[in-house]
Amino acid sequence: MKILVSNDDGYLAKGINVLTEALDQVADVVVVAPDQERSGASSSLTLKDPLRVSEIAPNRYKVDGTPADCVHLALTGYLDYEPDLVISGINHGANLGDDVIYSGTVAAAMEGRFLGLPSIAVSLVGNNSMYFDTAAIILIKLILKIQQAPLDSDVVLNLNVPNVPISKLKGIKATRLGFRHKSEQILKDMDPYGRPIYWVGPAGEGQDAGEGTDFHAIEQGFASVTPLKVDLTRHSVINDLSDWLESV
Ligand code: MN
């Protein structure tokens, strides 16, 4: 099995290196990852500037672009073969609920959606992440299961793993995305020249974090797997919208 690995924390991040070491045991791995941290890059592609790829070791490449650039480039001509699977992570921090809208980690997995097998985004929940091994072990279990019994290929799996040793993990749950409260306020500060600068504030707490959500599974000590789709259409509203449009 050939696996393309990327992330949004950059090729030097601990998460992608733990991931790559673990995947090396079960597959042929090629890494194409951003040369610096690009968390929050979502699915942005670099269209007005060229991209440069540097080989840092055999089958290990860094790109001066976004996570989506990396996977897009790899799958549309940079690699001379098609990988079977795209894995993105292990992200340093959660990608729960509406995080997936902004996440470069999830976007890199989304970019692999045209391949024959479901892509996986994997994130370790917590600010001072330590137990990357736990996330790697769960991910390998999922990959072995996918090899045995393939899922629909147009599914992207969003795996979040609590920051605990594997012996403390309660299990794995299929979940839906919850919702977060509105983000915290922006943080205003001053640059050395007296001009105002702003930091985007931290994400809000889980608001819809009830039973069945990704937030709830993590809170209860389980790894959470949410199946994502790319189609953002609100299908249930199409008929109402059609009626509404008649009198426009
Ligand atoms: Mn990140």
Side-chain angles (χ1 to χ4, degrees), residues 8-9 37-40 91-93 95 104-105:
D8 74 359
D9 298 321
E37 168 155 8
R38 301 302 296 263
S39 294
N91 190 56
H92 294 227
N95 275 307
T105 305

Side-chain angles (χ1 to χ4, degrees), residues 70 76 102 151 242:
C70 292
T76 54
Y102 306 103
L151 281 168
S242 182

Side-chain angles (χ1 to χ4, degrees), residues 36-51:
Q36 55 180 295
E37 168 155 8
R38 301 302 296 263
S39 294
S42 188
S43 289
S44 56
L45 287 176
T46 303
L47 300 177
K48 300 288 182 186
D49 288 301
L51 292 165

Side-chain angles (χ1 to χ4, degrees), residues 12 36 49 53 101 161 233 237 241:
L12 290 173
Q36 55 180 295
D49 288 301
V53 184
I101 300 284
V161 180
T233 309
V237 179
L241 178 67

